[in-house]
PDB file of all heavy atoms in Angstrom:
ATOM      1  N   SER A 138     -25.998 -17.126 -43.409  1.00 95.00           N
ATOM      2  CA  SER A 138     -25.634 -17.764 -44.685  1.00 95.00           C
ATOM      3  C   SER A 138     -24.202 -17.362 -45.045  1.00 95.00           C
ATOM      4  O   SER A 138     -23.732 -16.295 -44.665  1.00 95.00           O
ATOM      5  CB  SER A 138     -26.577 -17.311 -45.819  1.00 95.00           C
ATOM      6  OG  SER A 138     -26.143 -17.790 -47.093  1.00 95.00           O
ATOM      7  N   ILE A 139     -23.539 -18.241 -45.819  1.00 93.00           N
ATOM      8  CA  ILE A 139     -22.237 -17.811 -46.359  1.00 93.00           C
ATOM      9  C   ILE A 139     -22.442 -16.692 -47.383  1.00 93.00           C
ATOM     10  O   ILE A 139     -21.484 -15.967 -47.705  1.00 93.00           O
ATOM     11  CB  ILE A 139     -21.466 -18.979 -46.991  1.00 93.00           C
ATOM     12  CG1 ILE A 139     -22.170 -19.540 -48.220  1.00 93.00           C
ATOM     13  CG2 ILE A 139     -21.185 -20.068 -45.979  1.00 93.00           C
ATOM     14  CD1 ILE A 139     -21.303 -20.480 -49.040  1.00 93.00           C
ATOM     15  N   ALA A 140     -23.668 -16.507 -47.849  1.00 93.00           N
ATOM     16  CA  ALA A 140     -23.983 -15.375 -48.731  1.00 93.00           C
ATOM     17  C   ALA A 140     -23.676 -14.055 -48.065  1.00 93.00           C
ATOM     18  O   ALA A 140     -23.394 -13.044 -48.728  1.00 93.00           O
ATOM     19  CB  ALA A 140     -25.441 -15.424 -49.173  1.00 93.00           C
ATOM     20  N   GLY A 141     -23.690 -14.046 -46.733  1.00 95.00           N
ATOM     21  CA  GLY A 141     -23.418 -12.819 -46.014  1.00 95.00           C
ATOM     22  C   GLY A 141     -21.975 -12.358 -46.072  1.00 95.00           C
ATOM     23  O   GLY A 141     -21.649 -11.236 -45.696  1.00 95.00           O
ATOM     24  N   PHE A 142     -21.096 -13.187 -46.611  1.00 93.00           N
ATOM     25  CA  PHE A 142     -19.675 -12.815 -46.776  1.00 93.00           C
ATOM     26  C   PHE A 142     -19.409 -12.188 -48.112  1.00 93.00           C
ATOM     27  O   PHE A 142     -18.281 -11.726 -48.348  1.00 93.00           O
ATOM     28  CB  PHE A 142     -18.800 -14.086 -46.646  1.00 93.00           C
ATOM     29  CG  PHE A 142     -18.886 -14.770 -45.329  1.00 93.00           C
ATOM     30  CD1 PHE A 142     -19.145 -16.142 -45.247  1.00 93.00           C
ATOM     31  CD2 PHE A 142     -18.725 -14.084 -44.148  1.00 93.00           C
ATOM     32  CE1 PHE A 142     -19.215 -16.802 -44.048  1.00 93.00           C
ATOM     33  CE2 PHE A 142     -18.785 -14.740 -42.900  1.00 93.00           C
ATOM     34  CZ  PHE A 142     -19.045 -16.079 -42.867  1.00 93.00           C
ATOM     35  N   THR A 143     -20.391 -12.164 -49.014  1.00 93.00           N
ATOM     36  CA  THR A 143     -20.167 -11.780 -50.397  1.00 93.00           C
ATOM     37  C   THR A 143     -21.136 -10.714 -50.882  1.00 93.00           C
ATOM     38  O   THR A 143     -22.364 -10.903 -50.687  1.00 93.00           O
ATOM     39  CB  THR A 143     -20.284 -13.010 -51.322  1.00 93.00           C
ATOM     40  OG1 THR A 143     -19.327 -14.006 -50.924  1.00 93.00           O
ATOM     41  CG2 THR A 143     -20.035 -12.645 -52.789  1.00 93.00           C
ATOM     42  N   PRO A 144     -20.678  -9.632 -51.477  1.00 93.00           N
ATOM     43  CA  PRO A 144     -21.609  -8.697 -52.125  1.00 93.00           C
ATOM     44  C   PRO A 144     -22.381  -9.418 -53.218  1.00 93.00           C
ATOM     45  O   PRO A 144     -21.792  -9.969 -54.166  1.00 93.00           O
ATOM     46  CB  PRO A 144     -20.685  -7.618 -52.723  1.00 93.00           C
ATOM     47  CG  PRO A 144     -19.407  -7.729 -51.946  1.00 93.00           C
ATOM     48  CD  PRO A 144     -19.266  -9.193 -51.602  1.00 93.00           C
ATOM     49  N   GLY A 145     -23.684  -9.473 -53.106  1.00 93.00           N
ATOM     50  CA  GLY A 145     -24.489 -10.377 -53.914  1.00 93.00           C
ATOM     51  C   GLY A 145     -25.024  -9.770 -55.197  1.00 93.00           C
ATOM     52  O   GLY A 145     -26.230  -9.492 -55.284  1.00 93.00           O
ATOM     53  N   SER A 146     -24.192  -9.613 -56.171  1.00 95.00           N
ATOM     54  CA  SER A 146     -24.673  -9.134 -57.466  1.00 95.00           C
ATOM     55  C   SER A 146     -25.833 -10.005 -57.937  1.00 95.00           C
ATOM     56  O   SER A 146     -25.742 -11.226 -57.956  1.00 95.00           O
ATOM     57  CB  SER A 146     -23.526  -9.203 -58.500  1.00 95.00           C
ATOM     58  OG  SER A 146     -22.375  -8.559 -58.018  1.00 95.00           O
ATOM     59  N   PHE A 147     -26.944  -9.386 -58.330  1.00 96.00           N
ATOM     60  CA  PHE A 147     -28.171 -10.036 -58.762  1.00 96.00           C
ATOM     61  C   PHE A 147     -28.834 -10.813 -57.612  1.00 96.00           C
ATOM     62  O   PHE A 147     -29.689 -11.665 -57.863  1.00 96.00           O
ATOM     63  CB  PHE A 147     -27.914 -10.925 -59.990  1.00 96.00           C
ATOM     64  CG  PHE A 147     -27.442 -10.131 -61.152  1.00 96.00           C
ATOM     65  CD1 PHE A 147     -26.087  -9.943 -61.415  1.00 96.00           C
ATOM     66  CD2 PHE A 147     -28.363  -9.516 -62.020  1.00 96.00           C
ATOM     67  CE1 PHE A 147     -25.651  -9.157 -62.480  1.00 96.00           C
ATOM     68  CE2 PHE A 147     -27.948  -8.747 -63.080  1.00 96.00           C
ATOM     69  CZ  PHE A 147     -26.581  -8.564 -63.305  1.00 96.00           C
ATOM     70  N   GLN A 148     -28.425 -10.508 -56.423  1.00 96.00           N
ATOM     71  CA  GLN A 148     -29.058 -11.048 -55.202  1.00 96.00           C
ATOM     72  C   GLN A 148     -28.732 -10.098 -54.051  1.00 96.00           C
ATOM     73  O   GLN A 148     -28.566 -10.513 -52.912  1.00 96.00           O
ATOM     74  CB  GLN A 148     -28.514 -12.449 -54.924  1.00 96.00           C
ATOM     75  CG  GLN A 148     -29.512 -13.395 -54.277  1.00 96.00           C
ATOM     76  CD  GLN A 148     -28.923 -14.799 -54.156  1.00 96.00           C
ATOM     77  OE1 GLN A 148     -27.875 -15.126 -54.705  1.00 96.00           O
ATOM     78  NE2 GLN A 148     -29.634 -15.648 -53.414  1.00 96.00           N
ATOM     79  N   ALA A 149     -28.662  -8.811 -54.388  1.00 97.00           N
ATOM     80  CA  ALA A 149     -28.020  -7.809 -53.509  1.00 97.00           C
ATOM     81  C   ALA A 149     -28.668  -7.680 -52.161  1.00 97.00           C
ATOM     82  O   ALA A 149     -27.973  -7.638 -51.131  1.00 97.00           O
ATOM     83  CB  ALA A 149     -27.983  -6.448 -54.237  1.00 97.00           C
ATOM     84  N   VAL A 150     -29.969  -7.558 -52.120  1.00 98.00           N
ATOM     85  CA  VAL A 150     -30.651  -7.308 -50.853  1.00 98.00           C
ATOM     86  C   VAL A 150     -30.618  -8.580 -49.981  1.00 98.00           C
ATOM     87  O   VAL A 150     -30.408  -8.467 -48.759  1.00 98.00           O
ATOM     88  CB  VAL A 150     -32.115  -6.876 -51.097  1.00 98.00           C
ATOM     89  CG1 VAL A 150     -32.849  -6.716 -49.780  1.00 98.00           C
ATOM     90  CG2 VAL A 150     -32.141  -5.557 -51.883  1.00 98.00           C
TER      91      VAL A 150
END
Side-chain angles (χ1 to χ4, degrees):
S138 174
I139 65 167
F142 300 128
T143 302
S146 308
F147 297 92
Q148 213 175 350
V150 176

